[in-house]
Amino acid sequence: MMQTEQQPQHQNQLTVQNSGSLSFSSHLSKEDEEISKSALSTFRAKEEEIERKKLEVREKVQLQLGRVEEETKRLASIREELEALADPMRKEVAVVRKKIDAVNKELKPLGHTCQKKEREYKEALEAFNEKNKEKVQLITKLMELVSESEKLRMKKLEELSKNID
C-alpha cells in the first residue's frame, strides 16, 4: 500500500516540477492526503474501538443470556414443584368431595329407610306389647279357670267322698 501511495506522490511532484501553477494544487493534494491518512487512521482506530466495545457488549449480553437461561430453568423447576405440590392436594380434595357426595346420596335413602324401620319397629313393638298383654290376660283367666275348676272338682270329690262314706 505504501508503494501505491508513493507513486501518486511521485507523479504529483513531477507535475509540480513541470508547471508552476500546478505546484499549489500539488501541495494541497499532499495536505489532503495527510489529512485523509490521518482521518483514515482515526476512522480505523474508532472502528477498532467500536468493534472492541461491540465484542465487550456481546460478551456481556452472552453472560446475561446465560444467567437468564439459568434463572429460567430454576423458575421452571420451582413452577413444576409448585404444580406437583398443588395437584395431588387438588386431586385428593376432589376425590374426597366426590366420595362425600356419593355417601350423602347413599345416606338419604338410608335415613328414610331408618325412619320407616323405626316406625315399623314402634308399630311392631306396640303390636307385640298388645299381644303380650292379651296373653297375660288370657293366662290370668286360664289360671282363674283352672283354679276354679280344681275347686269345683275338689268340691265334687269331697261330696262323692261323703256320699261313699
Side-chain angles (χ1 to χ4, degrees):
M1 186 161 195
M2 287 295 269
Q3 287 179 337
T4 53
E5 286 179 12
Q6 285 177 353
Q7 286 175 353
Q9 283 178 0
H10 185 66
Q11 287 175 350
N12 283 341
Q13 286 174 353
L14 287 176
T15 46
V16 169
Q17 290 172 357
N18 289 341
S19 71
S21 64
L22 288 176
S23 68
F24 180 69
S25 67
S26 176
H27 182 62
L28 282 176
S29 182
K30 282 182 182 180
E31 281 181 24
D32 285 345
E33 240 180 82
E34 285 178 26
I35 290 172
S36 68
K37 280 182 185 180
S38 172
L40 185 61
S41 65
T42 304
F43 175 74
R44 284 184 184 154
K46 290 282 185 189
E47 282 294 315
E48 288 173 5
E49 186 181 341
I50 289 171
E51 195 61 32
R52 258 194 333 271
K53 286 191 178 197
K54 189 174 161 184
L55 287 173
E56 287 175 13
V57 169
R58 184 175 286 148
E59 286 175 9
K60 287 180 182 178
V61 167
Q62 287 300 325
L63 284 173
Q64 288 288 354
L65 283 174
R67 287 186 200 131
V68 166
E69 286 177 13
E70 288 174 16
E71 282 299 307
T72 303
K73 287 177 185 175
R74 190 176 71 82
L75 290 173
S77 170
I78 290 171
R79 183 183 334 153
E80 286 175 10
E81 287 179 30
L82 278 174
E83 288 174 0
L85 249 176
D87 275 347
M89 292 166 73
R90 286 183 193 161
K91 288 177 184 175
E92 286 178 18
V93 166
V95 166
V96 171
R97 283 185 177 164
K98 285 181 183 178
K99 286 181 179 179
I100 290 171
D101 290 342
V103 169
N104 275 337
K105 287 179 183 176
E106 292 174 15
L107 276 176
K108 228 177 212 180
L110 287 173
H112 291 302
T113 302
C114 281
Q115 289 173 350
K116 182 180 174 185
K117 298 286 183 182
E118 279 180 11
R119 277 191 305 255
E120 288 176 2
Y121 170 76
K122 286 178 183 176
E123 290 171 1
L125 186 61
E126 285 177 22
F128 173 79
N129 287 337
E130 293 265 331
K131 289 295 176 181
N132 211 14
K133 282 181 188 176
E134 188 178 334
K135 176 184 160 190
V136 168
Q137 288 173 352
L138 289 172
I139 289 174
T140 306
K141 188 166 188 163
L142 175 68
M143 295 292 281
E144 287 173 3
L145 288 174
V146 166
S147 177
E148 197 174 311
S149 170
E150 283 177 359
K151 283 180 187 176
L152 283 176
R153 282 190 314 179
M154 282 298 271
K155 203 176 191 184
K156 281 272 188 184
L157 278 173
E158 280 178 20
E159 279 179 22
L160 286 174
S161 180
K162 277 184 186 180
N163 283 341
I164 296 178
D165 281 336

